[in-house]
Amino acid sequence: GENVEQHPSTLSVQEGDSAVIKCTYSDSASNYFPWYKQELGKRPQLIIDIRSNVGEKKDQRIAVTLNKTAKHFSLHITETQPEDSAVYFCAASENSGYALNFGKGTSLLVTP
Amino acid sequence: GAVVSQHPSWVICKSGTSVKIECRSLDFQATTMFWYRQFPKQSLMLMATSNEGSKATYEQGVEKDKFLINHASLTLSTLTVTSAHPEDSSFYICSADPENTEAFFGQGTRLTVV
């Protein structure tokens, strides 16, 4: 089955700096790679996703890159703000509509 | 976006009793729903895939007789934790994807077994 590795497990940055979270996956059949932000006790919220036919996607301060050959994808948050502090999960699946395999999560802390 | 609602949001039960958690799609029909479990400070782990009108598909290591899943209608899937034990205490969360474009999660159910 799919195995998703996520690094780092914790990340502390100063407000205004950039944050990068990296994930690798094992199953070459995976084609859908979403990123979620989860606040304590809440449901995961989709912040951005990318599909295997695209190498990069950007939405304001958030961007995701995908290297399908290396089975590697990354989340980039620029100009971080304290409200970006949360746990971020990457995930992979064969396609949207399928079950998700999650990474272990990254706890991001943005200090003012 | 689509709305998935779970009930209850939190529940405390005694060891040995059973607890039912409901997952409803409020504005769409879902032939498939997914149930995940999340222990404190850990990731979401898929427990089972709930299929309307047929048996659920369980992940390896998840006891189907302990975690009963019923997907009796296109808008409702239920997860019943039978003979609950303290180690079953966790955050249970369901999801559905109405158009195969994006997963929508319920708000989750915090189960505490005492």
Side-chain angles (χ1 to χ4, degrees), chain B residues 12-14 17 25 33-36 40 44-45 47 52 58 69 85 93-95 98-100 103 108-109:
Chain B
I12 302 173
C13 72
K14 292 184 177 180
T17 62
S25 55
M33 290 184 175
F34 302 100
W35 286 96
Y36 298 87
L44 288 82
M45 297 295 295
M47 297 178 67
E52 189 270 335
Y58 290 83
I69 291 173
H85 290 283
I93 190 163
C94 65
S95 78
E99 298 178 347
N100 290 341
T109 297

Side-chain angles (χ1 to χ4, degrees), chain A residues 54-74:
Chain A
V54 175
E56 184 173 357
K57 185 176 177 181
K58 189 173 181 180
D59 182 4
Q60 298 183 4
R61 297 188 296 111
I62 295 172
V64 57
T65 59
L66 170 65
N67 183 328
K68 207 163 189 322
T69 302
K71 297 192 181 71
H72 172 275
F73 58 113
S74 300

Side-chain angles (χ1 to χ4, degrees), chain A residues 21-92:
Chain A
I21 303 171
K22 298 182 179 183
C23 288
T24 60
Y25 63 99
S26 60
D27 192 346
S28 56
S30 291
N31 290 297
Y32 176 61
F33 308 93
W35 285 89
Y36 294 91
K37 175 182 180 182
Q38 187 181 33
E39 298 177 349
L40 192 62
K42 300 290 181 63
R43 73 187 87 192
Q45 298 279 357
L46 178 71
I47 56 172
I48 198 166
D49 58 11
I50 193 167
R51 298 176 192 277
S52 59
N53 58 345
V54 175
E56 184 173 357
K57 185 176 177 181
K58 189 173 181 180
D59 182 4
Q60 298 183 4
R61 297 188 296 111
I62 295 172
V64 57
T65 59
L66 170 65
N67 183 328
K68 207 163 189 322
T69 302
K71 297 192 181 71
H72 172 275
F73 58 113
S74 300
L75 176 72
H76 303 252
I77 305 175
T78 59
E79 300 172 28
T80 54
Q81 302 165 0
E83 48 267 38
D84 293 330
S85 298
V87 179
Y88 291 80
F89 291 98
C90 64

